Amino acid sequence: MSDFLLPDFTPWPEEFAQRYRAAGHWRGETLGAMLEARAQAHPQSLALVCGTRRWTYEELDLKARQLATGFSRLGIRPRDCVVVQLPNVAEFFTVCFALFRLGALPVFALPAHRRIEITAFCQMTDAVAYVIADVDGGFDYRSLAREVMREAPLLKHVLVLGQAEEFVAISDLHDTPQDIIGPRASDVAFLQLSGGSTGLPKLIPRTHDDYLYSVRASVDICGLTPDSVYLCALPVAHNFPLSSPGTLGVFHAGGCVVLARRASPDTAFPLIEAERVTITALVPPLAMVWLDSARASPHDLSSLKLLQVGGAKFGAEAARRVKPELGCALQQVFGMAEGLVNYTRTDDPDELVMNTQGRAISPDDEVRVVDDEDRDVLPGEVGHLLTRGPYTIRGYYRAPEHNARAFTIDGYYRTGDLVRRLPSGHLIVEGRAKDQINRGGDKVAAEEVENHLLAHPSVHDAALVAMPDAYLGEKTCAFIVARGDAPRPIELVRFLRERGIAQYKIPDRILFVDQFPKTGVGKVNKRLLRERTAPVIQATTP
Ligand code: OOB
């Protein structure tokens, strides 16, 4: 067996793999080789702007190769997993490309994740290293690392950007580049996180071949060129700013990535002006803030040609404001870390750009819209979105039981999204069947939060549901049946925080009820619970 082959990885069946290769989708190129090729083709072009640092392609590639040697000296081997939790800084790319070269796998955590999540990622992947910044956004990641180390015995190294204290400083690891036998393009390159709908987070294995295809095709669809300047304002490790076409797309096209530490207008607008940014990507709540701030801003935003909005539904009303208020075109993006990405096209009529979430990247993306029994619905009717294709996974990592439910026998991924398909192939997202709350693009798995609430001694039962919110689209409301005297909501919030879950998963509202309404088969009736949030929202709307 190859050193690089990841066990527990569900590959595409051979006939599909052959088809995707024959169609030219999978080209046998790795992410590491992609960067190296760009560095050779235009070494002096500007690749990355991060604060006052400006790296050319040659510099970026060299630093990645130096770090690969350092990682290798440290004992990081092919197939080793490394949890990477960095803010939007240049080192995110040197770390990831160093790991890609070695055939070690970054596991992409978000800066918001805390002890529970990071420990789970380390344990699920047997991670040997954890990469963090020292302090960011007022939070000391080294203290988080100390807690995680206690619970993840296989974790050998904590690598720190900045003041390392007892850990290893990333800056000390750069070493003379050496020739390395890297992975093959068909190997898994990294693990992405799923938004999830179950108690435990799920990990998504993406290969060099499949990911680079989605990146390359996205570059074409979005018209990126060496002149493109992309502002990365969303968390850099998320699939949207990473690959749709995102930072990797910009590197593929030979353009320039500008990293923003925050996505707020006061950070982003000066960067757009100074770097002449041409394209950026936002989730709907941020897009609304930008729309509200643009006119009054003293900054020149005229270089911006395309605003991508995705991660959650962007309503037609807000969509119509983009051109007049920001002066650029809009592209709606409906994607998922599991694979399928839909874009409205730059030459689509306004009608489609405002009212749909786009159509699939590839002619080989197979999209089905089905009823509860997996039968195709009539054209134009709402149904469950199923998909398979050249960059959609066939299984989560180490999750055989979940895979049996999340995929059909013939390999379609059950997205959990409810959509309507137009004759043009464009999809309109109409809702969600999965038990997940989309909090302005941050995905909250109801069962995961319910399990944490159930761990409190005064909680007999818990149900988390979405409640509509003007800014975030949805917020979370936890309904609790208390055991004995009801605890105060603030006590439950403190309890969840102390357990160490990401802030965005803490319920926005906690309500106590005597019992839950039940469905005919005796399950908690979440539809009725959602309706019960209506008076709460009215009461809190000014
Ligand atoms: C992106 O990826 P994830 O993995 O964080 O979340 C995927 C889920 C989808 O299944 C859908 O429920 C929701 O997020 N979603 C949207 C949406 N874009 C994503 N729902 C409605 N409208 C949209 N435009 O969120 C993601 C990955 C790549 C590109 C863009 C977004």
Side-chain angles (χ1 to χ4, degrees):
M1 191 173 80
S2 152
D3 277 354
F4 296 95
L5 203 64
L6 193 70
D8 309 305
F9 165 59
T10 316
W12 284 261
E14 194 44 42
E15 78 178 273
F16 285 84
Q18 273 175 17
R19 172 139 56 92
Y20 300 151
R21 282 195 195 98
H25 302 331
W26 295 358
R27 295 195 179 164
E29 188 181 35
T30 62
L31 288 157
M34 184 273 281
L35 182 64
E36 193 174 338
R38 296 304 172 273
Q40 278 167 9
H42 39 73
Q44 299 312 320
S45 300
L46 188 62
L48 195 58
V49 175
C50 176
T52 55
R53 294 183 292 171
R54 308 175 79 79
W55 291 354
T56 63
Y57 276 84
E58 188 173 49
E59 286 168 319
L60 174 61
D61 186 54
L62 177 63
K63 286 175 204 287
R65 287 190 292 132
Q66 290 171 331
L67 202 51
T69 308
F71 285 165
S72 179
R73 291 253 157 87
L74 210 56
I76 295 175
R77 299 273 163 263
R79 275 196 292 144
D80 279 349
C81 287
V82 175
V83 175
V84 178
Q85 185 182 34
L86 287 174
N88 289 10
V89 287
E91 285 78 3
F92 173 82
F93 295 105
T94 50
V95 166
C96 290
F97 278 105
L99 295 170
F100 293 155
R101 280 178 173 280
L102 288 175
L105 278 61
V107 181
F108 289 128
L110 296 174
H113 288 134
R114 292 295 177 261
R115 185 180 61 85
I116 290 270
E117 289 98 2
I118 301 293
T119 305
F121 304 151
C122 289
Q123 291 174 344
M124 289 163 67
T125 63
D126 297 331
V128 298
Y130 173 35
V131 184
I132 51 171
D134 48 8
V135 177
D136 185 59
F139 182 76
D140 190 334
Y141 286 87
R142 292 162 303 192
S143 61
L144 174 56
R146 283 180 203 112
E147 294 180 55
V148 172
M149 287 271 298
R150 282 197 283 276
E151 293 172 61
L154 296 180
L155 193 60
K156 288 203 245 358
H157 311 285
V158 174
L159 312 177
V160 185
L161 179 62
Q163 298 298 315
E165 296 185 343
E166 74 268 40
F167 303 124
V168 176
I170 295 175
S171 54
D172 289 345
L173 285 174
H174 293 77
D175 211 333
T176 315
Q178 285 175 344
D179 283 341
I180 285 171
I181 304 172
R184 290 170 313 186
S186 54
D187 289 317
V188 175
F190 56 82
L191 297 168
Q192 266 285 6
L193 303 183
S194 152
S197 55
T198 63
L200 284 175
K202 296 284 175 297
L203 294 163
I204 297 167
R206 301 288 302 258
T207 64
H208 295 268
D209 262 337
D210 91 74
Y211 211 58
L212 262 179
Y213 169 49
S214 76
V215 167
R216 204 171 52 238
S218 299
V219 166
D220 288 345
I221 288 169
C222 300
L224 293 192
T225 70
D227 293 328
S228 297
V229 181
Y230 177 88
L231 184 77
C232 179
L234 294 174
V236 59
H238 188 273
N239 201 56
F240 183 14
L242 191 60
S243 68
S244 304
T247 55
L248 292 179
V250 175
F251 294 147
H252 195 279
C256 174
V257 168
V258 177
L259 291 172
R261 289 299 281 260
R262 310 275 169 262
S264 55
D266 55 336
T267 302
F269 288 4
L271 282 172
I272 294 176
E273 180 176 58
E275 304 297 339
R276 307 296 295 156
V277 167
T278 60
I279 168 171
T280 190
L282 295 175
V283 289
L286 285 170
M288 310 276 265
V289 174
W290 282 35
L291 289 175
D292 290 343
S293 316
R295 262 190 223 268
S297 165
H299 295 288
D300 174 11
L301 307 179
S302 62
S303 59
L304 195 61
K305 298 287 173 278
L306 188 66
L307 173 69
Q308 302 181 287
V309 181
K313 179 136 173 185
F314 196 45
E317 212 130 291
R320 271 191 289 272
R321 292 175 55 200
V322 171
K323 183 93 205 171
E325 311 218 1
L326 273 168
C328 65
L330 166 71
Q331 178 180 58
Q332 298 220 30
V333 188
F334 164 39
M336 50 209 73
E338 286 81 354
L340 181 71
V341 180
N342 303 274
Y343 296 103
T344 57
R345 303 303 201 257
T346 43
D347 57 358
D348 275 345
D350 271 3
E351 176 68 13
L352 287 176
V353 177
M354 304 304 147
N355 296 303
T356 80
Q357 280 62 58
R359 64 182 168 87
I361 287 180
S362 172
D364 284 314
D365 280 320
E366 298 175 75
V367 166
R368 291 183 62 200
V369 185
V370 302
D371 65 15
D372 289 345
E373 270 76 50
D374 285 355
R375 290 174 304 218
D376 292 310
V377 300
L378 293 172
E381 281 186 4
V382 178
H384 302 274
L385 170 64
L386 309 184
T387 185
R388 66 180 185 189
Y391 59 97
T392 297
I393 56 163
R394 293 296 186 121
Y396 292 99
Y397 182 56
R398 292 189 174 167
E401 281 170 31
H402 182 68
N403 285 341
R405 290 191 300 275
F407 295 83
T408 65
I409 297 281
D410 50 357
Y412 281 84
Y413 166 55
R414 298 182 190 277
T415 66
D417 293 311
L418 297 175
V419 301
R420 206 148 54 81
R421 181 168 39 183
L422 304 182
S424 61
H426 288 69
L427 301 175
I428 301 174
V429 180
E430 297 284 4
R432 204 177 315 121
K434 56 191 165 190
D435 202 2
Q436 183 190 78
I437 295 120
N438 192 336
R439 203 177 171 279
D442 283 330
K443 314 300 178 335
V444 183
E447 190 184 315
E448 185 184 340
V449 178
E450 288 160 5
N451 285 344
H452 289 302
L453 286 163
L454 284 168
H456 190 281
S458 303
V459 173
H460 171 71
D461 210 351
L464 194 77
V465 299
M467 55 181 190
D469 180 76
Y471 173 57
L472 288 174
E474 292 176 7
K475 277 187 170 180
T476 54
C477 179
F479 284 89
I480 307 280
V481 178
R483 173 177 292 140
D485 288 338
R488 288 188 307 145
I490 185 75
E491 191 187 315
L492 286 181
V493 168
R494 207 177 297 133
F495 174 78
L496 291 179
R497 240 181 234 138
E498 276 164 16
R499 276 176 81 79
I501 67 171
Q503 174 67 27
Y504 67 84
K505 296 181 187 170
I506 307 257
D508 293 292
R509 201 81 7 191
I510 297 179
L511 295 175
F512 293 92
V513 289
D514 291 336
Q515 57 181 22
F516 292 145
K518 294 283 164 59
T519 63
V521 289
K523 290 203 295 186
V524 176
N525 190 332
K526 289 202 164 176
R527 188 180 53 78
L528 283 181
L529 285 178
R530 276 192 291 274
E531 285 170 13
R532 284 201 207 166
T533 64
V536 179
I537 299 154
Q538 270 165 18
T540 50
T541 306

